[in-house]
Amino acid sequence: MSARARGVRLACAAAWSVLVLGCRGHESVAVTHPLDPLDAREMDVARVVLVAGGRLGGSRRVSLLDVHEPPKADVIAGRPTRREAFAVVYDARRNETAEAVVDLAARRLASRRLVPGAQPPLDPSDAALADSLVRASAAWRTAVARHGVRDLSTVEVAPWSAGYFGSDDPATARVVRVDTYVRARRPNDMARPIDGVGVVVDLTRRVVHVEDAAAAYPPPDAASEDAAWRPLPPPTTDAPSVTGGGASAAAVRVDGSLVRWRRWRLRVAMRPREGLVLYAVGFDDGARVRSVLHRASLSEMVVPYGDPGPGWYFRNSFDAGEIGMGVGVAALRPGVDAPAGATFVDAVLADRRGVPHRRPRAIAVYERDGGLAWTHAGTGRRARELVVFALCNLGNYDYGFEWTLREDGTIAHRVLLTGAMAARGVPNGTADAHDSLAHPVTGGVAAVHHQHFFSYRLDLDVDGATPNRVDEIETHALDAGPANPYGGGFAAHARTLATERAARRPLDLASARRWIVLNPAARNALGQPTGYLLEPGASAEPFARPGSWVRRRAGFLDAAVWATPFRDDERYAAGDYPYQSPGGDGLARWTAADRPIDGTDVVLWYTLGVTHNPRPEDWPIMPVQEAGFRLIPVGFFDRNPTIGDR
Ligand SMILES: [Cu+2]
């Protein structure tokens, strides 16, 4: 979107819908939207206000600078909203975290508060300080030397989020844990781990504590690293290959955050914490644009590793809340990360000083072939689908987030996992000695078993924000007896989940359990309430024990599905500040009140899991592994909506 367009709106502080792209029949669409991320000019205003008020600069740095979203009620009603910036500022000297809201039109600080005991995400300043403290530590140098590494100029240290294990009070300590590696020659920094050297750094007190495992053996050598990059002999066929995905940008219109493709209308944004966010998603049925999703985002994620030993037990990265998914957004390479024919959308993110930086090609939007749409008796047609894609690099891992919208009303989400697995060194020649906790993947390297959990916040507004409800659908075999004489009978049953506690639900393969968000005030031609159904894909149960620190901190793992009544300030499943958090926050805390959800503006939360048992084929860089879920219309239409479409 142009700065000029934003300026016009800021100047008049008017209803956001006054600026329209033009009308096409019944459709008039605003260029901008109240949930749009801050642009560079707005970030500049926020920074100037914070610095002028003495709230930024010196030992204070920006941890987060993002739009302060206006109340949803105002957005839905189309009422005028204020553009505001939300900043999280960390004062390293005082070890204090503060939140500030800046009124951008008035250029003034609207509010500010300290958040006692809150630790903001790990950032490059923390990493740099941890690096220098570790390198100055005699205990660390001794530990590294014990593993046969003398030349410290070849050694890299990698910071990890600290976790929380009953000590390291976030009110008094800011802790980073550090891994040690021999510097890699290839693009996999995990290839030459110095095993068992765990370092705990308290940045507040500048204290370094080294946990060195008893066994010491040298890290893998350069030849071992190179061996993993040796290609197979070339294939024997000369047939030309097809690359790039054959995408078309021509069918897609992108104006600022607004994406229009066939019947779909949606907004896309790159946000510093959540990464790729979709909002104002609606389906144009020819008469009007019908609301489906108000906002869909990654709420939090966690990656628990199974090895309980030194250097590993703490690894439970909350990659969104402890680092920032959008902070790690990659510039997509046309023809590699996304098809060359895609439309690319830039993002603007602030650095530690609050200075905006343009991040090119943060989001790719394109149409691609969608396979077969439907067919029967010589009729049928091919499907097309719209893809919205972003790629985020979080240290060793890379996560792709792909939303696909189809002409039949389906919204599919896939998360793509690639990059370098976290690995430990093992004595050379180990083939399977570590296979209970880790699996050898190349000479001298074993990758540790771990899980990835992604918690999505799905604010479905099916034909409007309210009243929505959540029904659970289960299918059960009929009892044997006269009503089921041949034993093959089964039937589907629906029940409404009335309150938050009732809506904490596990997956259940045996009953094909599904959840549907319904709007009883909107009916299809058959008289049924219109709805969208959450269809889980492959998933995983957490192996960390109930009551363990990671389970307390990632309380959202206690159920695959949660439902809450909408609240503007309930956005992150593990709470606003998971770094060093002792837990109990987020979904676990909010839903303890057991608020009613039937008839409210329902938010559905879904956590999908991947159990990653490493294999040699995942080394040196993992082929993309994927997991996902679908939102599919149920009674939202009267029939297959693609009949008659061309
Ligand atoms: Cu993994």
Side-chain angles (χ1 to χ4, degrees):
M1 110 196 28
S2 76
R4 210 158 62 84
R6 175 76 80 201
V8 169
R9 198 191 56 201
L10 274 172
C12 61
W16 55 275
S17 55
V18 297
L19 277 175
V20 295
L21 286 169
C23 297
R24 184 181 61 76
H26 60 278
E27 189 185 5
S28 83
V29 193
V31 179
T32 58
H33 188 279
L35 302 194
D36 285 349
L38 299 182
D39 64 21
R41 205 185 64 81
E42 291 175 319
M43 286 184 188
D44 283 334
V45 171
R47 184 185 70 257
V48 166
V49 168
L50 290 170
V51 170
R55 303 305 185 186
L56 185 59
S59 61
R60 293 187 170 120
R61 63 182 192 253
V62 166
S63 177
L64 178 96
L65 183 56
D66 197 2
V67 62
H68 185 239
E69 293 188 6
K72 178 178 174 182
D74 292 342
V75 176
I76 294 290
R79 287 192 284 269
T81 55
R82 263 211 305 262
R83 283 293 281 179
E84 292 179 327
F86 176 75
V88 176
V89 175
Y90 178 66
D91 185 334
R93 192 162 58 81
R94 294 185 176 84
N95 189 34
E96 268 179 7
T97 300
E99 294 178 344
V101 175
V102 176
D103 181 333
L104 295 168
R107 293 174 172 259
R108 66 173 185 87
L109 192 65
S111 68
R112 180 182 179 272
R113 70 177 190 114
L114 285 176
V115 193
Q119 284 293 334
L122 190 62
D123 71 22
S125 305
D126 298 315
L129 178 55
D131 188 290
S132 64
L133 292 173
V134 168
R135 288 183 192 281
S137 158
W140 174 77
R141 288 197 297 267
T142 302
V144 170
R146 227 166 62 80
H147 292 257
V149 179
R150 310 274 167 203
D151 181 1
L152 294 180
S153 71
T154 67
V155 174
E156 295 283 352
V157 299
W160 281 71
S161 52
Y164 181 81
F165 303 92
S167 56
D168 302 329
D169 179 358
T172 54
R174 179 161 176 80
V175 177
V176 175
R177 292 174 192 261
V178 172
D179 256 358
T180 308
Y181 298 87
V182 174
R183 184 173 306 126
R185 292 151 40 123
R186 307 273 191 166
N188 177 346
D189 292 340
M190 308 279 119
R192 301 180 65 187
I194 300 178
D195 190 50
V197 181
V199 190
V200 189
V201 185
D202 179 350
L203 301 176
T204 308
R205 299 188 192 82
R206 308 202 165 201
V207 174
V208 176
H209 172 68
V210 177
E211 300 169 336
D212 191 10
Y217 32 85
D221 59 16
S224 158
E225 184 187 359
D226 289 346
W229 290 88
R230 205 169 293 137
L232 294 177
T236 51
T237 170
D238 296 315
S241 60
V242 179
T243 57
S248 164
V252 185
R253 284 202 58 185
V254 181
D255 296 286
S257 64
L258 176 66
V259 176
R260 287 178 287 178
W261 175 77
R262 297 189 63 77
R263 295 183 181 279
W264 284 106
R265 306 289 176 265
L266 63 149
R267 306 265 176 174
V268 301
M270 180 54 55
R271 302 285 292 270
R273 175 164 173 164
E274 301 157 286
L276 180 59
V277 175
L278 264 53
Y279 49 110
V281 181
F283 190 93
D284 181 351
D285 71 0
R288 65 204 162 94
V289 177
R290 297 172 62 189
S291 165
V292 175
L293 267 171
H294 177 65
R295 195 179 187 284
S297 57
L298 177 76
S299 158
E300 190 50 272
M301 64 168 294
V302 62
V303 188
Y305 283 76
D307 187 336
W312 284 92
Y313 67 90
F314 62 83
R315 297 189 202 225
N316 303 305
S317 301
F318 292 63
D319 283 326
E322 289 188 332
I323 298 177
M325 199 51 76
V327 169
V329 70
L332 296 170
R333 294 162 299 169
V336 181
D337 304 312
T343 299
F344 293 93
V345 179
D346 295 349
V348 178
L349 295 167
D351 66 14
R352 299 304 129 208
R353 296 166 300 153
V355 175
H357 294 273
R358 184 160 293 280
R359 309 284 282 268
R361 301 185 307 283
I363 304 171
V365 184
Y366 55 95
E367 176 188 295
R368 71 179 171 202
D369 180 84
L372 186 61
W374 58 270
T375 186
H376 184 65
T379 62
R381 54 170 292 234
R382 195 130 192 99
R384 285 165 283 193
E385 57 191 24
L386 176 76
V387 179
V388 180
F389 180 73
L391 188 64
C392 301
N393 171 255
L394 280 290
N396 53 310
Y397 249 84
D398 299 86
Y399 296 112
F401 296 92
E402 181 191 270
W403 292 92
T404 305
L405 292 89
R406 289 174 63 89
E407 297 158 292
D408 65 5
T410 301
I411 301 173
H413 180 75
R414 290 198 308 166
V415 57
L416 283 63
L417 297 84
T418 181
M421 294 182 297
R424 55 180 304 175
V426 290
N428 220 345
T430 303
D432 60 4
H434 277 265
D435 71 351
S436 60
L437 295 172
H439 193 76
V441 291
T442 193
V445 178
V448 174
H449 298 289
H450 60 279
Q451 298 188 287
H452 305 256
F453 292 97
F454 303 84
S455 173
Y456 293 89
R457 180 180 182 271
L458 305 169
D459 182 1
L460 285 143
D461 284 5
V462 179
D463 278 320
T466 185
N468 279 193
R469 72 166 199 256
V470 183
D471 278 9
E472 181 171 271
I473 317 290
E474 291 186 338
T475 302
H476 291 288
L478 298 182
D479 290 339
N484 183 21
Y486 310 109
F490 56 92
H493 304 278
R495 69 184 182 99
T496 298
L497 303 177
T499 67
E500 290 176 302
R501 282 180 198 234
R504 292 176 183 170
R505 301 297 292 159
L507 299 180
D508 184 46
L509 199 56
S511 64
R513 191 175 289 156
R514 305 271 190 274
W515 297 269
I516 179 166
V517 176
L518 293 163
N519 185 339
R523 303 271 166 172
N524 65 14
L526 302 170
Q528 301 158 338
T530 63
Y532 257 79
L533 179 138
L534 169 65
E535 182 186 73
S539 195
E541 294 281 339
F543 293 109
R545 292 191 169 279
S548 59
W549 280 113
V550 62
R551 291 289 297 272
R552 283 193 241 175
R553 302 178 64 232
F556 60 87
L557 296 180
D558 287 354
V561 169
W562 306 65
T564 57
F566 176 89
R567 294 289 182 276
D568 284 306
D569 57 354
E570 294 179 0
R571 202 183 299 161
Y572 308 121
D576 291 352
Y577 295 96
Y579 201 94
Q580 267 173 262
S581 154
D585 204 353
L587 279 169
R589 179 167 65 81
W590 310 324
T591 61
D594 203 22
R595 297 168 294 188
I597 52 174
D598 187 3
T600 69
D601 176 7
V602 173
V603 178
L604 200 62
W605 306 72
Y606 177 60
T607 297
L608 72 85
V610 174
T611 298
H612 190 172
N613 300 123
R615 52 191 182 124
E617 289 85 348
D618 290 338
W619 198 264
I621 305 294
M622 286 172 61
V624 167
Q625 228 187 80
E626 60 181 63
F629 61 88
R630 301 200 310 161
L631 299 168
I632 62 175
V634 176
F636 190 79
F637 303 109
D638 308 326
R639 59 176 174 84
N640 178 347
T642 70
I643 298 283
D645 267 4
R646 296 167 63 92

